[in-house]
Structure formats: C-alpha cells, structure tokens
Amino acid sequence: MFSEWTGIAVMYGLTVLLAIPLGKFIANVFADKPNLLDFMRPIERLIYRLGGVDETQEMSWKASLLALLTINAVWLIYAFVLLLVQGSLPLNPDGNPSMTPDLAFNTAISFLVNCDLQHYSGESGATYLTQLGVFNFLMFVSAATGIAALMLIVRSFLPKSVDTVGNFYVYFVKAITRILLPLSLVLSLVLVFNGTPASFDGKDSVVTMQGDTVGVSRGPAAAMIGIKHIGTNGGGYFGANSAHPLENPNYLTNMAEMVAQVIIPIAMIFALGFLINRKKFALMIYGVMTIGVLMLLVPTLISELHGNPAIARMGVAQPTGAMEGKEVRFGPVASGYWSILTTVISTGSVNSMHDSSMPVSGMMQLLGMMTGAFYGGCGVGILNFYYFLIIAVFISGLMVGRTPEFFGRKVEAREIKIASIVALVSTLLVKGGTALAAWLFVNYPEAAWTVKPSAWLNNPGYHGFSEMLYEFTSANANNGSGFEGLGDNNFFWNYATGIVLLLGRFLPIIGPVAIAGLLARKKYVPESSGTLPTDNGTFGLMVFAVIMIITALSFFPALTLGPLAEYFSLK
C-alpha cells in the first residue's frame, strides 16, 4: 500500500517539477523570445504561406474569434464526411464499416472540441485512415485551439490599453510545432519501447492460455496515444482506453501517461505568470486549483480503499479496496488518482471503469467536470477560471464599496453579464439534457426507436440517473469519459450530446475572450492603496468560494438524486 501512495506522490511531484520549466518555455515561445525550437521557424513560415496568413498582422478579439470558429467549422465538415465513408477508403485491413450519420455527427464534433466522447469502440469503429487522418489530426488542432484562445486574453492583464489581442493563427501554429508535436513525440516513443503497437498491420491471431484463438487489434496506436494525453484529448485507440494492455502496458507507461495529461494544464498557469510578469498571481491560481483537486482526490482515495459495503456484507474480503472495474496492475490508488485528474482536466481517458467507481468517487468525478476550473484542458482550464475571476472581482468590489477593478480595468455590467451567461448556460446544458433524457426514459420507455429508451440503462435506480447525468456533464465539460453502463450509440444520445459538445466548447471560449477584449480596450488605471489585490491568499479564497458556491447551487440537487442517493442506499 505504501508503494501505491508513493507512486501517485511521485507522479504529481514530477508533473509540477517539469511544468515549471515548461511554463517558462511556453512563455518564451509566445513572447517571441529565443528558445530551443527556433529551428521550426522555416516550417511555420511555410504553413503561413500556404494558408495565406500574414504573421505580422494584429487581430482584434472579434476577428480572432471569427477565425477560430471558421477554421473549426471547416474541420468539422472534413471529419464528418470521412467518417461517413471510411469503410470504402484505404487503410482498413480489418474491414471496419462506415459510421452512421448520427454517430459520425457526434464523433466528428467530439474530437473537434477536444472531448473525444466515444460512442463507438476504437479498434472496431474506426479505420487506420480515420484514426490518423481524422482523430489524430483533430487531437492536435483542438488542443492548439485551446492554447491559442488562452493567448488571446493575455493582453487584458498588461498595463496598457490595446485594440488587438495578437494573431490567432500564429498562436495556433506555434502551439502545434513547438509544444504539442515535440511532447507527443516523446510520449509516443516511451509507449513504443514498452510494447504499444505502431504499425499498419491488421489483427493478429493469438492463442490464449485457455486455448481459445482470438483476434487482437493492432495498428498505429502509439502516435495517437501520445497526443491523446499531451493534448488533454483522451480518446482511446482501443475501446478500453488506457485500461487496455496495449494502450497502457505497465506501471511506467501509466506514470508517463498520467504526467503527460496534466503537464500542459499546469504549465500554462506558470506560463501566464511569466507572460504578464505576475508570478504571485499565477501562484494564486495554482493554489486555488490545487486545493480544489485535493478536495476531490482525498475522498475518492478513501472511498476506493474502503471497498464496497455491499460486497463486504456478502462476507467477501477486500484487502486491496474496491477492485471492480480496475486493473490489478494499477490498483485502486493509481486508478482513483487517474479518475480525478482526468476529470478535473478535460482529458477523459481512463485506466479503470468509472461506472464501477464507488458512489463518492463518482460524485467527485462529476464535480471535477462541473466546476471545470481546476487545471482544466490545454488553455481552456484557465479560460474557465477567468470568468470565475471576473465574478469574484465583481462581488469583492461590491463588498468593500468600490468599483470592481481587474488589473487596472473597471469591470462593468457588460463583462459581468457575459461571465454570468457562460456560467448559467453550462448549468442549463447539463441539467436540461439530463432532465430530457430522464423524462423520455420514464414516459416513453417503449418508443418505437431503433434503441428504445428502456434499453438505455444497464443499471436502474439511482445509478442509472447518475449515468445519464454523467454523460451530459462529460459532454458539456468536453471531457469524454463516461459511465459506460449507458447505451449511448443511438440517435438521441448522439445528437443530444453532439449539440451540448458544441455549446460546451465554444461558449466558454467566446465569453472569456470577449471579456478580455473589452477589458483590454479600457483605460488602464495604475494600482493604488485602494486597489483590490488579486494575487494574494485572501482573493484566492474568494475565488475558491465563488467556484464552490456557484457549483453547489447549480448542481447539488442533481447530485442528490444520483450518487448521493446511491451512497446512502449502500449503508
């Protein structure tokens, strides 16, 4: 047991130690300072030339958002068409079929928005061409979109008024060439040398210890798994994701994948501090986020180590904790650690089955996605935290009787309205979608659909409600993990979560970028003795309270009907 605790301590400690210099490197990249990857400059210039991009042109926040949305719309159409016809295209040695329109709609959107909510099984639902040409491609560009979007708000922190926020295309290209590509290459090499497939061969026939002959899928898995974690994407090459022995062969690869999926979200916090020369502010953000993660992680580990009360009443000993749905090679501690970190950030990859988690663990996973502001995904975690900052500044200003100011700019009605709308719409998408699904399940269980609503849930009662709540929460948070007892590959879940995926991705990008663009244009007022400090522990506590109160008020009733009710039913 001691070694398991040591393992997660080493994982997190190594992540932070690597994230600090990586944050400095990222800041140098986007500040156009000399760095180790300046040799990529000719490739970047070629990309700009081919795309007709003037890298010296400054863009307003509106022009940047238009560019972001337009280029994502093009990728969506590209992905949707290829998935519809993948069965007729090359690089399909296993003869996997094309996707149905509703599944292609959901899958294309899911990978576009960095969610990777998979309503299909990786090795049988996609071909080598779409695994690489669609999913691998979208994993890079979706992560780069989030990083570039974060760079668009940086100038709102600087002590001068500006009308432009930089060049979205430059930020986007550099995010790929100098951050995502090198790091994913390193992780992919680690995986290859530990047994992850990296070929274009079809299934291999293997005789098991029981004497059965089975087909084991192979393919170019390592390349996809590298960016899957570095880019906080999370979509599995294999259906079992990182619980699959070829996707995550041993404890070393488990540690590498765990570090990889958290390193950029933490590094971006430090990078922001270096870019705006406010290291104390970055430490405040890191402190608030880390406390939030610990408050989710500790109850999860305790719950998993104590085992399942229902199994204990059957007289079955559980010396290692709750092992249902977990890999013996990882155990409950490493699995519980992964389950929380993968839900507080937007990765959503799994090395155990979340549907088998204890009720308290499931609630912590849900809360991690519902807050969306503890580390978060590549770039977008800080964007989600940003609108909580604006709300906290506004409330703090009212409490002390001063006009709310944030980094020398007045926070007025327009900014607070945008932040409030983003927070409220997120709640509406999760609870509204879950309410609709529950209503259909209860009132039209035998509807004449290809998959009847009565067949959606493998687990009735409280856990069944949690499965539906988890699916919409995951979609809205662009996470991608799931309680897989839910039968989700049908037209209702494909279209409903597809719409939530789009809104859950782009509204939390549009809102903070719009707020930052509006603030950047306002007159800068130098700090004085009456200025509210936003880089100390007191303000950090205020921000944390705002996050917790908004999340609790928004989602506590739904959590009561699902995981909390299930927890008390096991007592």
Side-chain angles (χ1 to χ4, degrees):
M1 186 62 67
F2 177 76
S3 61
E4 290 188 71
W5 287 97
T6 303
I8 65 170
V10 170
M11 276 188 260
Y12 186 79
L14 184 60
T15 303
V16 177
L17 286 176
L18 293 174
I20 295 172
L22 178 60
K24 181 65 175 177
F25 170 77
I26 291 172
N28 288 341
V29 166
F30 291 113
D32 287 326
K33 294 181 180 178
N35 58 79
L36 293 173
L37 293 181
D38 281 337
F39 67 86
M40 298 295 287
R41 184 76 178 131
I43 297 176
E44 293 164 355
R45 285 175 175 166
L46 176 62
I47 295 172
Y48 299 144
R49 192 176 300 117
L50 293 175
V53 174
D54 180 2
E55 62 179 301
T56 63
Q57 181 183 1
E58 289 284 313
M59 302 172 69
S60 67
W61 68 267
K62 292 181 180 179
S64 295
L65 282 178
L66 179 61
L68 185 154
L69 295 173
T70 302
I71 199 168
N72 274 267
V74 172
W75 295 330
L76 174 59
I77 296 170
Y78 158 78
F80 179 69
V81 171
L82 257 66
L83 293 174
L84 280 178
V85 298
Q86 66 174 8
S88 305
L89 299 176
L91 294 179
N92 187 15
D94 297 332
N96 292 341
S98 299
M99 290 188 178
T100 59
D102 59 306
L103 180 58
F105 172 82
N106 182 276
T107 305
I109 292 174
S110 183
F111 280 85
L112 174 78
V113 302
N114 199 246
C115 179
D116 304 4
L117 186 74
Q118 295 174 286
H119 288 178
Y120 67 96
S121 183
E123 62 265 50
S124 60
T127 68
Y128 294 175
L129 178 64
T130 49
Q131 292 271 34
L132 292 177
V134 176
F135 303 154
N136 221 26
F137 167 74
L138 290 179
M139 284 180 174
F140 275 100
V141 299
S142 64
T145 296
I147 294 172
L150 174 59
M151 289 302 109
L152 297 177
I153 75 168
V154 167
R155 293 189 183 180
S156 68
F157 295 101
L158 300 179
K160 60 180 180 179
S161 299
V162 292
D163 292 323
T164 58
V165 293
N167 189 308
F168 166 77
Y169 295 113
V170 172
Y171 295 150
F172 171 81
V173 171
K174 284 186 174 181
I176 294 176
T177 58
R178 305 200 185 195
I179 302 170
L180 298 171
L181 190 59
L183 291 176
S184 61
L185 178 60
V186 171
L187 180 58
S188 295
L189 288 174
V190 171
L191 293 169
V192 167
F193 283 111
N194 280 273
T196 298
S199 72
F200 287 94
D201 295 329
K203 288 183 179 179
D204 190 15
S205 294
V206 175
V207 178
T208 68
M209 295 180 68
Q210 292 179 322
D212 299 326
T213 301
V214 297
V216 178
S217 296
R218 295 180 290 182
M224 178 172 164
I225 299 167
I227 185 59
K228 153 191 165 179
H229 283 118
I230 289 295
T232 64
N233 295 278
Y237 185 90
F238 299 99
N241 208 282
S242 285
H244 195 289
L246 294 182
E247 191 152 331
N248 189 6
N250 52 51
Y251 200 87
L252 174 62
T253 60
N254 189 73
M255 290 184 69
E257 292 183 23
M258 191 70 257
V259 170
Q261 62 184 291
V262 188
I263 189 168
I264 288 183
I266 295 181
M268 295 304 299
I269 301 171
F270 298 126
L272 178 63
F274 289 125
L275 282 167
I276 64 176
N277 198 27
R278 296 289 291 267
K279 296 176 185 178
K280 283 185 63 179
F281 178 70
L283 288 174
M284 182 275 293
I285 295 177
Y286 171 73
V288 171
M289 290 184 173
T290 302
I291 291 171
V293 170
L294 289 173
M295 290 185 67
L296 300 173
L297 178 61
V298 172
T300 295
L301 297 180
I302 293 173
S303 177
E304 295 300 322
L305 286 172
H306 277 76
N308 191 324
I311 294 178
R313 285 196 294 269
M314 297 168 62
V316 178
Q318 302 173 80
T320 58
M323 285 301 296
E324 180 191 332
K326 297 176 180 64
E327 292 290 299
V328 175
R329 58 206 165 106
F330 302 140
V333 175
S335 299
Y337 177 77
W338 184 304
S339 74
I340 294 302
L341 269 295
T342 200
T343 45
V344 296
I345 56 178
S346 67
T347 306
S349 64
V350 298
N351 71 347
S352 65
M353 297 300 104
H354 288 193
D355 199 34
S356 295
S357 297
M358 297 304 298
V360 170
S361 304
M363 185 171 70
M364 296 301 110
Q365 294 160 12
L366 282 163
L367 280 170
M369 294 184 288
M370 288 168 174
T371 55
F374 298 147
Y375 297 159
C378 286
V380 295
I382 299 178
L383 288 177
N384 286 335
F385 195 87
Y386 187 79
Y387 70 79
F388 283 119
L389 282 172
I390 296 299
I391 294 173
V393 166
F394 183 77
I395 294 174
S396 300
L398 295 179
M399 290 173 65
V400 298
R402 292 192 178 96
T403 301
E405 290 183 5
F406 187 55
F407 280 80
R409 275 91 171 187
K410 292 183 179 180
V411 176
E412 298 175 299
R414 188 162 44 173
E415 292 81 37
I416 196 65
K417 285 178 182 177
I418 295 172
S420 301
I421 289 171
V422 173
L424 292 172
V425 169
S426 176
T427 305
L428 175 63
L429 292 175
V430 173
K431 295 201 296 187
T434 305
L436 176 60
W439 182 78
L440 290 170
F441 179 81
V442 171
N443 291 284
Y444 298 96
E446 301 302 320
W449 298 345
T450 304
V451 179
K452 297 179 180 180
S454 60
W456 287 350
L457 304 179
N458 288 335
N459 299 278
Y462 307 126
H463 193 75
F465 179 83
S466 295
E467 289 175 344
M468 295 188 290
L469 176 65
Y470 196 107
E471 187 75 1
F472 279 107
T473 302
S474 181
N476 177 67
N478 288 168
N479 185 267
S481 62
F483 276 6
E484 296 306 333
L486 178 70
D488 48 24
N489 186 13
N490 54 71
F491 85 92
F492 171 79
W493 288 103
N494 284 333
Y495 285 125
T497 55
I499 294 169
V500 172
L501 285 164
L502 281 173
L503 295 174
R505 167 68 166 184
F506 292 109
L507 287 181
I509 289 178
I510 294 171
V513 171
I515 293 172
L518 293 170
L519 290 178
R521 299 178 61 181
K522 292 186 178 183
K523 180 182 178 181
Y524 175 77
V525 179
E527 293 184 4
S528 65
S529 58
T531 301
L532 174 70
T534 55
D535 57 2
N536 58 21
T538 303
F539 183 71
L541 181 63
M542 184 66 186
V543 176
F544 185 80
V546 166
I547 294 172
M548 289 293 97
I549 291 171
I550 290 177
T551 303
L553 291 176
S554 300
F555 296 109
F556 183 75
L559 293 171
T560 302
L561 294 174
L564 277 175
E566 183 183 1
Y567 169 77
F568 287 109
S569 71
L570 291 176
K571 290 295 184 180

